[in-house]
Amino acid sequence: MNILVLNCGSSSLKFQVIETDLDLIEKNSERQKAKGIIERIGGQALITLESDRGEKQKLASPLRDHRSAIDYLLRWMVSPEAKLPGIQSLADIHAVGHRVVHGAEKFTRSVVISDEVIRGIEDCIELAPLHNPANLKGIRAAQELLGLGVPQVAVFDTAFHSTMPETSYLYAIPYQLYRRHKVRRYGFHGTSHRYVAYRYRQIVGKKKEEVNIITLHLGNGCSACAIKAGESIDTSMGLTPLEGLVMGTRGGDLDPSIIEFLAHKEGMTLPEIDTMLNKQSGLLGLSGLTNDMRDLLAEEQENQDRRAKLAIDIFCTRVRKYIGAYLAELGGAEAIVFTGGIGENSPAIRKRILNGLTWFGISLDDQKNQATIGKEQIISDAPSKIAVHVIPTDEELLIARDTVRSVKNAPRRW
Ligand code: ADP
């Protein structure tokens, strides 16, 4: 089956076309036929399209909304210039898998989209006011353009964490607020944590129940996950993706009193504070320079920039804290897995995060760590009590797989 995977943001759309099926999943031999991104939807959009022959096209076109963007994409996919193998017409697109950010307590696994599911995703909008509406726009546009005969599947960022116990997901605020408004930790990046945990299991040849690990998704957004017997028992993001680790522009954990304090001192409104915490904090806020870890590392090295170094140190210390907390919570773990743009590509950051943990018996093989950029590799040395792996994430592949399994009503293996 040719699956179109869509990840719709408020003004962007990432996509992949993946050929997969139950037997291809079994053989781990799916084929990515195309991928790309459309940015700045609503104005003069920037379009990057790449076929599996590696030809990359960069274009610009006025696209007023998500429907126009998906229409543009579908036209390109079936065009002779794209030359996507096995895709000559829209009938060759067999299903669509959508990344949906918030599934709250309603959706604990991927589901085929029906009117009822759409209503359910709408009900979650107040928990993800920026993300779920964009996801819904993508779903509605794909339904309109491809017709209701093409099944669509929703894959939720929160679903993998639905196994968390109350002791992890409840905040210590009056219980009735959970009852009344479902204020609790949900966690995000679930598809990524689930994918790397699944790959880890394949790499080491273990059953799901035998997997006790910590997964670290370090990208522009960052989160840690404690996985026990193959299931998420805790994660660092909370009601929204703002909690936990230091991220590109999000501050992560902080004393909630800061909000009232700033409202008084700076005369900021609540929406202004929310924007500051989501968009102007984290690596960007600390360094005053950038949210991009590559640039920060360069500033630190080439210009000895003090605040760049400080931002990186705080970033690494926070990850280390979570590793310690999760090791305690799990009662020990056999491995730590790095993924995401920073986790996959930055030996320097991996080393700085784990440096202070040698006393505990976590030690890196420096050569392997240095040589591992964007590929699967064990980077701990032989004496390390806890193995350290780098596993590039592939959320789109997991979305495509869930789409096939949901459409065919096949059991999910992980
Ligand atoms: P997103 O969370 O938006 O999907 P990514 O997972 O692509 O983002 O991660 C983006 C982050 O990864 C950026 O901070 C970028 O600087 C960082 N990154 C990518 N490559 C490297 C590298 N070689 N060294 C350090 N950081 C890197």
Side-chain angles (χ1 to χ4, degrees):
M1 291 173 78
N2 292 314
I3 312 293
L4 172 61
V5 176
L6 289 178
N7 178 355
C8 291
S10 53
S11 66
S12 70
L13 178 166
K14 286 191 204 152
F15 77 94
Q16 283 195 17
V17 182
I18 298 175
E19 183 184 358
T20 178
D21 219 326
L22 294 178
D23 60 324
L24 292 174
I25 295 175
E26 212 57 47
K27 292 187 215 136
N28 222 350
S29 49
E30 287 104 331
R31 177 170 179 191
Q32 185 201 75
K33 295 185 169 179
K35 65 174 178 180
I37 180 164
I38 303 182
E39 294 161 287
R40 298 196 198 162
I41 295 170
Q44 182 73 352
L46 300 175
I47 303 158
T48 309
L49 305 166
E50 202 176 333
S51 70
D52 69 342
R53 296 183 309 284
E55 289 158 16
K56 207 171 187 173
Q57 274 178 282
K58 281 189 182 280
L59 306 143
S61 174
L63 297 174
R64 69 173 182 281
D65 53 18
H66 285 75
R67 191 182 187 284
S68 326
I70 295 175
D71 188 37
Y72 184 99
L73 172 62
L74 292 172
R75 284 172 200 272
W76 173 75
M77 280 169 58
V78 300
S79 70
E81 90 202 61
K83 286 204 244 29
L84 302 186
I87 300 182
Q88 273 89 42
S89 74
L90 291 185
D92 296 319
I93 299 161
H94 303 116
V96 185
H98 295 267
R99 173 184 180 222
V100 179
V101 167
H102 219 307
E105 289 186 343
K106 251 192 187 82
F107 298 106
T108 57
R109 54 183 305 137
S110 304
V111 286
V112 177
I113 294 170
S114 61
D115 288 347
E116 197 189 333
V117 168
I118 290 183
R119 279 195 294 277
I121 298 172
E122 283 169 348
D123 289 343
C124 303
I125 284 178
E126 60 178 5
L127 291 169
L130 294 179
H131 294 103
N132 275 28
N135 303 150
L136 280 165
K137 280 184 195 161
I139 291 169
R140 293 208 183 91
Q143 281 183 334
E144 273 174 47
L145 293 162
L146 288 166
L148 292 176
V150 178
Q152 317 236 0
V153 171
V155 179
F156 298 89
D157 246 25
T158 44
F160 181 61
H161 303 300
S162 65
T163 46
M164 281 190 291
E166 277 177 323
T167 44
S168 297
Y169 74 66
L170 282 180
Y171 292 112
I173 56 176
Y175 188 81
Q176 56 272 30
L177 295 175
Y178 167 62
R179 279 232 194 87
R180 282 215 293 273
H181 308 294
K182 295 282 179 236
V183 174
R184 52 161 283 180
R185 175 186 311 289
Y186 291 97
F188 299 86
H189 287 151
T191 315
S192 177
H193 290 293
R194 185 178 140 213
Y195 176 80
V196 295
Y198 159 79
R199 271 304 296 159
Y200 170 81
R201 168 167 78 101
Q202 284 194 320
I203 291 165
V204 299
K206 286 197 171 185
K207 293 201 186 82
K208 176 182 165 184
E209 301 70 43
E210 296 166 341
V211 171
N212 301 302
I213 59 174
I214 296 169
T215 50
L216 301 169
H217 179 108
L218 309 178
N220 205 15
C222 300
S223 66
C225 182
I227 297 177
K228 188 167 195 161
E231 295 187 336
S232 170
I233 62 151
D234 208 350
T235 190
S236 57
M237 285 177 164
L239 176 79
T240 74
L242 190 52
E243 195 183 348
L245 303 179
V246 176
M247 314 182 206
T249 60
R250 295 188 196 117
D253 295 337
L254 82 167
D255 180 343
S257 315
I258 290 173
I259 293 167
E260 208 206 338
F261 186 83
L262 287 180
H264 285 306
K265 285 279 178 194
E266 296 268 319
M268 291 169 84
T269 63
L270 287 180
E272 280 166 354
I273 294 176
D274 192 61
T275 302
M276 182 271 288
L277 293 174
N278 274 292
K279 301 247 159 81
Q280 295 148 9
S281 299
L283 294 175
L284 173 65
L286 282 167
S287 69
L289 293 170
T290 171
N291 63 326
D292 192 305
M293 186 59 96
R294 271 170 302 206
D295 297 342
L296 281 182
L297 286 164
E299 280 296 327
E300 181 191 35
Q301 209 181 4
E302 288 157 24
N303 302 326
Q304 285 75 49
D305 189 282
R306 193 189 83 82
R307 277 181 40 202
K309 176 176 174 350
L310 186 63
I312 299 168
D313 285 342
I314 294 173
F315 178 95
C316 294
T317 305
R318 184 81 56 85
V319 179
R320 199 177 314 126
K321 261 193 194 175
Y322 269 87
I323 292 174
Y326 286 174
L327 284 173
E329 202 174 344
L330 287 165
E334 68 208 39
I336 293 169
V337 179
F338 282 94
T339 195
I342 299 172
E344 293 165 24
N345 298 305
S346 181
I349 297 295
R350 294 191 298 248
K351 190 173 161 69
R352 276 161 83 161
I353 290 171
L354 297 179
N355 241 352
L357 296 174
T358 34
W359 65 273
F360 185 75
I362 302 178
S363 47
L364 287 183
D365 179 322
D366 276 334
Q367 271 184 338
K368 278 194 187 151
N369 181 39
Q370 278 304 329
T372 302
I373 294 177
K375 62 176 183 186
E376 287 182 358
Q377 178 67 52
I378 301 180
I379 57 167
S380 45
D381 62 12
S384 189
K385 281 199 290 191
I386 297 176
V388 183
H389 287 244
V390 175
I391 302 181
T393 195
D394 198 341
E395 293 162 271
E396 289 79 9
L397 181 63
L398 195 49
I399 292 174
R401 287 179 173 182
D402 267 16
T403 302
V404 168
R405 290 192 195 103
S406 303
V407 166
K408 301 211 163 178
N409 222 348
R412 194 184 99 179
R413 287 281 177 75
W414 181 268

